[in-house]
Amino acid sequence: MKRRLRLFLTIVPPLLVFSSFIALLLTPVEPIPPLPPASRKEIARLERKLGALRPKGYYILVDTAANRLWLKRGDKALLEAKCSTGSGRQLECQGRSWTFETPRGEFRIQGKISNPIWRKPDWAFLEEGKSLPVNDNERFEKNVLGEYAMAIGDGYFIHGTLYNRMLGRNVTHGCIRLGSPDLIRLTQLAPVGTKVYIF
Amino acid sequence: MKNPSFLASLPALLFLAAPCSAFGAAEGSTVQNAALVTYRLQLAQQRVASIEIRDGAVIASMKGMEVKRFSISKAELSSHAFPRLSTVATKTAAVRTRQVIVKVEQVSADPSETVSSPDEIVSVEDMPETFALKLKDGSVFYITGKSRDGILNGWRKDWLKCRVGCTFLFRQLRGLPVCGGIIEMDPTSARHLFWLIRPEMGVIY
């Protein structure tokens, strides 16, 4: 037994080290791109182009780490609010799985809905330990999304909540929840088409 | 030296072995500025956030506007004359990051309570404060929050640091013009940065 262990310790660690060295030597890396042409005129042209990409008018920023939302116009913040974003947990059931994360990137407000009604997706039933409804009418639930919901695409919304004590925490299924006063103000100020930047 | 362990000091020596001068992402000559603006423009055209590693801070941007800034308290970086643009290949945490996988049989009957327990959410507090960032062009960065948290985690951090150092050294030996660095920041910033960074994210450094 001792001999076997000694043999194992003599062979395996050097082999591991050697193979990791080989892997390091063989891992392909991307070449470094050549430097772009440089002149003051060119820099000024690029800076103008960069400036043109910055959002015009109102835009919304969402920090999913800090659970904060800002409505801004230029550099000026018109609204700063605590929000709740995706919990990051994964739900598994009968071979299906869902990850509850708030998507990141650039979105825009596609529409606003007053007194929204929630059409419960499959995971909402499974999460409650219920079976999926046969009748589609059983999926609709009133008064859970607050006064307004703003669609940002891919089925995600900025909406209200019944659970104000959860604001500032990662607890949602991917949507962005806001407290009632902030939601009302955001709905009033941000027109349809407002860009939403989530990071 | 704060950390006397050989493993911890080895990569630092490796980085310092490369000639150190101004960091590439710093603004300076016309060529440097042109490269910096060109790369910022390229990243601003993407839909997702990107980061820029500079002398005093790591800056997250979207559409050419700064959205978050993480101050660097100390950095040891190998030099490169001009700013570079690459993308994140992998981020490796020193300690395993928490994942919450809930099987339907385990969930509570009250839907409001299913997400109220801190055990059932993954927040920025669960993110590691020490991690390695590998870029597709071969460059490697070791980012740490520099807080003390037990012998085992200390060893894990040292091991990761050593791996980063070896990767850097081997790529240098292959003749690749790669960059390497050790970046220290406060633990909260490091966790937030780990949260923000995703594979395929653009990086200027």
Side-chain angles (χ1 to χ4, degrees):
Chain A
M1 188 67 188
K2 256 186 176 177
R3 258 184 71 189
R4 273 189 190 172
L5 185 69
R6 199 179 297 157
L7 197 69
F8 180 82
L9 288 175
T10 322
I11 294 169
V12 173
L15 203 68
L16 280 174
V17 171
F18 182 72
S19 57
S20 53
F21 285 168
I22 295 294
L24 269 175
L25 286 172
L26 297 179
T27 313
V29 293
E30 277 180 359
I32 289 161
L35 283 168
S39 71
R40 287 205 180 134
K41 212 174 164 186
E42 180 66 8
I43 293 171
R45 189 185 71 81
L46 292 170
E47 272 173 349
R48 274 198 303 276
K49 238 176 148 181
L50 187 63
L53 284 173
R54 292 190 184 116
K56 314 279 176 294
Y58 294 104
Y59 61 95
I60 295 167
L61 285 177
V62 181
D63 182 346
T64 57
N67 285 296
R68 287 283 187 282
L69 178 147
W70 294 267
L71 173 69
K72 286 188 159 191
R73 192 172 191 181
D75 290 333
K76 197 179 167 195
L78 305 168
L79 172 76
E80 185 181 347
K82 248 191 206 179
C83 66
S84 288
T85 56
S87 67
R89 70 189 183 130
Q90 205 175 318
L91 181 73
E92 287 180 354
C93 176
Q94 297 157 1
R96 295 169 75 187
S97 104
W98 295 265
T99 304
F100 300 126
E101 274 188 321
T102 299
R104 301 194 201 174
E106 183 189 359
F107 300 86
R108 72 180 181 86
I109 296 179
Q110 298 179 347
K112 297 181 189 180
I113 308 160
S114 304
N115 300 313
I117 297 169
W118 186 31
R119 186 189 180 278
K120 288 171 82 171
D122 289 354
W123 51 255
F125 291 95
L126 299 171
E127 200 174 45
E128 290 171 36
K130 294 176 184 169
S131 55
L132 299 179
V134 183
N135 187 346
D136 212 42
N137 289 335
E138 289 171 44
R139 287 185 181 267
F140 297 101
E141 203 169 314
K142 286 180 183 173
N143 306 322
V144 288
L145 301 179
E147 294 93 336
Y148 297 101
M150 286 182 273
I152 59 169
D154 300 333
Y156 293 95
F157 290 84
I158 299 173
H159 61 72
T161 180
L162 298 173
Y163 310 108
N164 283 306
R165 69 194 165 94
M166 302 291 188
L167 290 172
R169 295 174 59 186
N170 295 84
V171 293
T172 77
H173 296 92
C175 287
I176 299 157
R177 294 182 195 165
L178 277 177
S180 185
D182 294 325
L183 180 70
I184 292 168
R185 194 161 152 70
L186 186 71
T187 313
Q188 285 168 349
L189 289 173
V192 170
T194 301
K195 290 279 171 73
V196 182
Y197 300 103
I198 305 173
F199 57 95
Chain B
M1 194 176 281
K2 278 179 191 170
N3 192 341
S5 86
F6 173 70
L7 276 178
S9 59
L10 176 70
L13 290 170
L14 296 179
F15 289 129
L16 290 174
C20 281
S21 60
F23 191 40
E27 287 177 51
S29 68
T30 312
V31 182
Q32 281 177 323
N33 288 347
L36 210 51
V37 180
T38 307
Y39 299 154
R40 281 177 189 160
L41 183 63
Q42 280 183 34
L43 295 180
Q45 282 159 347
Q46 296 178 355
R47 285 186 67 235
V48 291
S50 59
I51 57 167
E52 194 174 310
I53 303 172
R54 305 199 65 174
D55 272 336
V58 178
I59 299 161
S61 309
M62 277 185 100
K63 292 286 152 191
M65 59 181 172
E66 181 182 324
V67 291
K68 212 164 181 174
R69 181 180 280 258
F70 308 92
S71 292
I72 294 173
S73 55
K74 195 180 157 196
E76 284 166 19
L77 301 150
S78 68
S79 71
H80 49 289
F82 300 105
R84 288 183 187 169
L85 173 69
S86 189
T87 47
V88 175
T90 56
K91 56 173 183 176
T92 314
V95 290
R96 221 175 136 189
T97 49
R98 205 165 77 91
Q99 271 193 316
V100 178
I101 299 171
V102 181
K103 309 270 182 205
V104 156
E105 301 77 40
Q106 296 168 0
V107 299
S108 122
D110 182 352
S112 67
E113 293 306 319
T114 56
V115 289
S116 63
S117 159
D119 300 338
E120 291 197 356
I121 59 171
V122 182
S123 72
V124 74
E125 297 307 315
D126 299 310
M127 296 298 115
E129 54 171 59
T130 300
F131 59 99
L133 188 65
K134 285 187 185 175
L135 306 184
K136 284 193 175 168
D137 66 4
S139 294
V140 280
F141 296 94
Y142 174 81
I143 298 162
T144 181
K146 206 68 184 173
S147 71
R148 297 190 175 278
D149 51 357
I151 295 166
L152 192 63
N153 282 348
W155 270 100
R156 283 175 176 156
K157 286 179 184 178
D158 287 349
W159 173 233
L160 183 68
K161 203 175 192 180
C162 188
R163 277 164 58 198
V164 169
C166 290
T167 307
F168 174 71
L169 180 71
F170 269 82
R171 287 184 174 159
Q172 287 254 317
L173 288 175
R174 274 171 70 184
L176 298 168
V178 297
C179 175
I182 299 172
I183 296 169
E184 282 179 27
M185 51 178 63
D186 75 89
T188 311
S189 297
R191 286 195 189 100
H192 278 250
L193 184 60
F194 187 85
W195 178 279
L196 184 92
I197 291 172
R198 294 273 166 115
E200 301 298 326
M201 178 185 250
V203 182
I204 301 174
Y205 65 96

